[in-house]
Amino acid sequence: MKLKNIFNIQTEEDFLNAALATFRYQYENVEIYRKFVDFLKVNPDEVSRLDKIPFCP
C-alpha cells in the first residue's frame, strides 16, 4: 500500500499495511526516529504487528 492511499483504508489489513509502510518510511527517512528505534534494539525487518512499532513519547 502506498502512503498516498491512506484515505482509502477500508479494512484492518489495509490499516496494518499502511501503518507498517509508514513505520518503514519514517525509519528510513527520519534520522532521529531511526536512532530511537536503533537505541531500542528493534529490527525494522522483524516488525510485523502494530504493537511492535516503536512510538515516540
Side-chain angles (χ1 to χ4, degrees), residues 7-8 11 13-14 19 24 30 32-34 42-43 51 55:
F7 296 107
N8 295 326
T11 66
E13 184 178 357
D14 289 347
R24 290 186 179 99
V30 181
I32 192 74
Y33 183 67
R34 182 174 48 256
V42 172
N43 181 344
D51 63 338
F55 292 95

Side-chain angles (χ1 to χ4, degrees), residues 2-43:
K2 294 180 181 178
L3 294 177
K4 65 182 179 179
N5 292 330
I6 62 171
F7 296 107
N8 295 326
I9 293 173
Q10 296 182 1
T11 66
E12 287 186 34
E13 184 178 357
D14 289 347
F15 179 79
L16 174 62
N17 290 333
L20 292 173
T22 300
F23 161 68
R24 290 186 179 99
Y25 176 85
Q26 290 177 339
Y27 181 81
E28 293 172 5
N29 295 286
V30 181
E31 181 181 1
I32 192 74
Y33 183 67
R34 182 174 48 256
K35 288 181 179 182
F36 174 70
V37 172
D38 290 346
F39 175 78
L40 296 175
K41 298 184 182 353
V42 172
N43 181 344

